[in-house]
């Protein structure tokens, strides 16, 4: 009987999964991978096999209100029907916020769930969706161990000066500090830098994770020393629907002078700001790029996004004491040729020089000359969940077997 594990990445309307063998020699060999999209609406399930070929596709009508619970039960039933002689050994979850509780993956128990629930106000757009599959599995498959893998834990290496807000001690002691997110993505990038450029893996690197959520991270010798997100996933550069850094005074103005409640202001900053808010059109970079030539608001949103990224790269370069490389990843970073060109062309002062042809051909290296290098590296958060799960299984769940091996 071969043991398999599921790596789950649950968002507000999607559930991505990878199913892999716990003991596979090649960590990249995936038995099945797929996703549920448009959960809560006309959901769609697609799954691919080891060779990348699509094995199944199912769609549901809007009226079925197909949410996370139904999706997870569908996945478990699908796996049951297709697993052959494989046995489900564990399920790992991407959890956005581990707060000050966890600096690495943990086996989930009641205490862990209570700790993670207490962090929901710091990640209202993510934490509840991350925790929902955890609860469903505990109810339906209580014997299956579950492992939490955190977006915050990679940033535990940041120095205190990078994580401290200039606030009185009694507030700081309540955990009000910068944590940082997208850690599973940054951990993946740090782990593969060696394959691309061994010197860079030991150097000063800024990684730009530009997806619906977006942040940047400064890596020194592959360790996070600073990042643009903070206590919550609102800080840093503008995102699809989130505002990024704004003067906290603007929030008080909206509450006192514009009459928004704290809840309404929070909802607006998470769901109606960013590219969507500035363009008044869309949170989707593809839509904005298409509209930009004739729509000044779409152009304004893109210009602000690029400007803020460049400024943050300047700030992270200062934190690193110089720049050896810049990496683009996630939906926009991996796919949008124009965003990469606009960012790099605005950073000539660092010595970065864009190789236009390589940028259009999707790299991986997109710079030329003797200055810092620029790269496109597709991220793989599920692989990091799988790695962390294998580690926890070997250390905590099967330590005797691991010692014998
Ligand atoms: P998340 O996983 O955080 O939901 P993604 O990493 O999938 O987000 O990134 C979504 C973003 O990537 C959207 O703004 C989308 O427009 C952008 N994107 C995806 N493909 C392309 C493309 N070919 N060109 C430009 N932008 C793209």
């Amino acid at each position: 009987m071969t043991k398999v594990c599921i790596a789950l990445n649950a968002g507000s309307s999607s559930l991505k999964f990878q199913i892999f063998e716990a003991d596979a020699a090649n960590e990249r060999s995936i038995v099945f991978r797929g996703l549920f999209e448009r959960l809560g609406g006309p959901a769609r399930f697609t799954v691919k096999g080891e060779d990348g070929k699509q094995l199944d596709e199912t769609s549901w009508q809007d009226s079925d209100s197909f949410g996370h619970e139904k999706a997870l039960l569908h996945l478990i039933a699908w796996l049951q029907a297709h697993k052959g002689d494989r046995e489900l050994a564990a399920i790992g979850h991407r959890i956005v916020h581990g707060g000050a509780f966890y600096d690495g993956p943990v086996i989930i128990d009641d205490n862990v769930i209570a700790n993670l629930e207490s962090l929901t106000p710091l990640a209202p757009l993510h934490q509840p969706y991350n925790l929902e599959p955890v609860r469903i599995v505990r109810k339906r498959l209580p014997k299956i161990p579950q492992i939490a893998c955190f977006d915050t834990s990679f940033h535990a290496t940041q120095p205190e000066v990078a994580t401290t807000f200039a606030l009185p001690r009694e507030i700081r002691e309540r955990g009000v500090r910068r944590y940082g997110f997208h850690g599973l993505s940054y951990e993946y990038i740090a782990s593969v830098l060696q394959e691309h450029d061994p010197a860079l893996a030991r150097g000063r690197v800024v990684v730009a994770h530009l997806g619906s959520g977006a942040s940047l991270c400064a890596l020194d010798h592959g360790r996070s020393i600073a990042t643009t997100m903070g206590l919550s996933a609102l800080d840093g550069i503008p995102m699809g629907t989130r505002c990024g850094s704004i003067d906290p005074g603007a929030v008080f103005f909206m509450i006192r002078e514009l009459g928004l409640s704290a809840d309404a202001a929070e909802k607006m900053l998470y769901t109606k700001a960013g590219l969507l808010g500035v363009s008044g059109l869309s949170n989707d970079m593809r839509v904005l790029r298409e509209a930009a030539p004739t729509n000044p608001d779409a152009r304004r949103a893109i210009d602000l996004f690029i400007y803020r990224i460049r400024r943050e790269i300047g700030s992270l370069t200062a934190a690193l004491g110089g720049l050896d490389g810049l990496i683009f990843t996630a939906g926009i970073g991996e796919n949008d040729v124009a965003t990469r060109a606009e960012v790099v062309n605005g950073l000539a002062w660092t010595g970065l020089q864009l190789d236009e042809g390589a940028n259009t051909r999707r790299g991986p290296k997109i710079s030329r000359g003797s200055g810092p290098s620029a790269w496109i590296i597709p991220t793989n958060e599920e692989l990091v969940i799988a790695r962390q799960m294998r580690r926890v299984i070997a250390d905590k769940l099967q330590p005797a077997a691991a010692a014998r091996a």
Side-chain angles (χ1 to χ4, degrees):
M1 191 76 88
T2 312
K3 288 191 181 334
V4 293
C5 301
I6 306 179
L8 282 181
N9 183 349
S12 58
S13 66
S14 69
L15 182 65
K16 297 182 197 158
F17 61 88
Q18 287 189 6
I19 300 172
F20 56 93
E21 286 179 9
D23 302 320
N26 175 5
E27 66 164 3
R28 286 177 190 268
S29 72
I30 303 291
V31 188
F32 304 114
R33 81 177 73 201
L35 85 159
F36 293 86
E37 302 167 87
R38 303 191 298 250
L39 291 177
R44 179 164 169 260
F45 167 68
T46 44
V47 59
K48 293 177 177 169
E50 233 159 334
D51 51 7
K53 281 213 188 88
Q54 186 149 313
L55 295 177
D56 211 343
E57 180 182 348
T58 313
S59 295
W60 290 267
Q61 299 301 317
D62 207 356
S63 55
D64 291 346
S65 71
F66 196 92
H68 288 78
E69 176 146 19
K70 285 188 183 166
L72 198 49
L73 296 179
H74 184 84
L75 175 61
I76 290 165
W78 189 92
L79 184 59
Q80 198 64 29
H82 293 81
K83 70 183 172 50
D85 69 344
R86 302 182 190 99
E87 179 194 6
L88 179 59
I91 299 182
H93 301 264
R94 174 191 179 191
I95 305 283
V96 157
H97 220 311
F101 296 114
Y102 307 108
D103 60 6
V106 287
I107 298 170
I108 297 174
D109 58 20
D110 288 340
N111 186 40
V112 171
I113 292 182
N115 286 340
L116 298 182
E117 272 171 351
S118 75
L119 296 167
T120 292
L122 303 183
L125 213 61
H126 299 94
Q127 199 85 337
Y129 300 106
N130 298 162
L131 291 177
E132 200 177 345
V134 173
R135 280 195 211 91
I136 296 165
V137 172
R138 272 169 86 76
K139 196 167 78 187
R140 302 282 181 154
L141 301 171
K143 295 209 172 80
I144 298 291
Q146 300 194 77
I147 295 151
C149 305
F150 300 103
D151 263 322
T152 42
S153 55
F154 183 71
H155 299 294
T157 50
Q158 291 177 98
E160 190 185 331
V161 71
T163 62
T164 305
F165 289 128
L167 294 171
R169 181 185 291 272
E170 62 272 21
I171 306 281
R172 287 184 278 120
E173 282 176 351
R174 300 290 301 273
V176 181
R177 45 158 280 200
R178 306 179 64 82
Y179 293 94
F181 300 88
H182 293 133
L184 298 172
S185 176
Y186 295 128
E187 184 169 329
Y188 177 77
I189 301 292
S191 76
V192 295
L193 265 184
Q194 178 78 20
E195 294 161 24
H196 289 84
D197 182 341
L200 197 57
R202 299 186 298 275
R204 299 159 299 181
V205 176
V206 172
V207 185
H209 177 109
L210 309 177
S212 301
S215 70
L216 298 116
C217 175
L219 296 179
D220 189 3
H221 285 76
R223 290 154 66 91
S224 170
I225 61 132
T227 186
T228 55
M229 280 180 173
L231 174 72
S232 74
L234 270 184
D235 204 6
I237 55 177
M239 301 164 228
T241 63
R242 282 173 257 165
C243 57
S245 309
I246 59 169
D247 178 349
V251 180
F252 298 120
F253 183 87
M254 290 188 291
I255 291 173
R256 286 211 201 92
E257 306 301 322
L258 305 183
L260 271 70
S261 66
D263 284 352
E266 182 183 52
K267 192 166 178 204
M268 190 270 281
L269 296 177
Y270 271 103
T271 64
K272 296 195 166 63
L275 295 173
L276 173 66
V278 177
S279 69
L281 177 68
S282 174
N283 61 343
D284 190 313
M285 185 53 94
R286 286 164 291 198
V287 175
L288 297 179
R289 284 283 175 201
E290 209 178 310
T294 54
N295 180 330
D297 290 331
R299 186 69 248 171
R300 184 172 292 116
I302 293 174
D303 287 348
L304 179 58
F305 184 63
I306 303 293
Y307 172 80
R308 295 285 316 150
I309 293 170
R310 286 182 191 157
R311 278 197 53 177
E312 291 293 347
I313 291 172
S315 165
L316 294 172
T317 298
L320 285 164
L323 184 70
D324 299 312
L326 172 63
I327 318 282
F328 290 94
T329 195
I332 300 172
E334 291 167 27
N335 296 301
D336 195 28
V337 176
T339 290
R340 292 192 300 265
E342 290 166 17
V343 169
V344 174
N345 286 334
L347 293 169
W349 61 271
T350 64
L352 264 170
Q353 279 184 282
L354 186 70
D355 179 334
E356 304 264 0
N359 187 34
T360 311
R361 292 190 302 275
R362 303 165 67 101
K365 188 172 178 192
I366 59 167
S367 59
R368 55 191 168 76
S370 58
S373 55
W375 303 78
I376 306 165
I377 304 182
T379 195
N380 191 343
E381 290 157 312
E382 288 79 15
L383 184 76
V384 175
I385 298 174
R387 275 182 191 157
Q388 295 192 356
M389 283 177 77
R390 285 194 172 103
R391 217 166 66 214
V392 172
I393 289 169
D395 290 354
K396 304 263 168 55
L397 295 175
Q398 299 172 338
R404 278 198 306 274

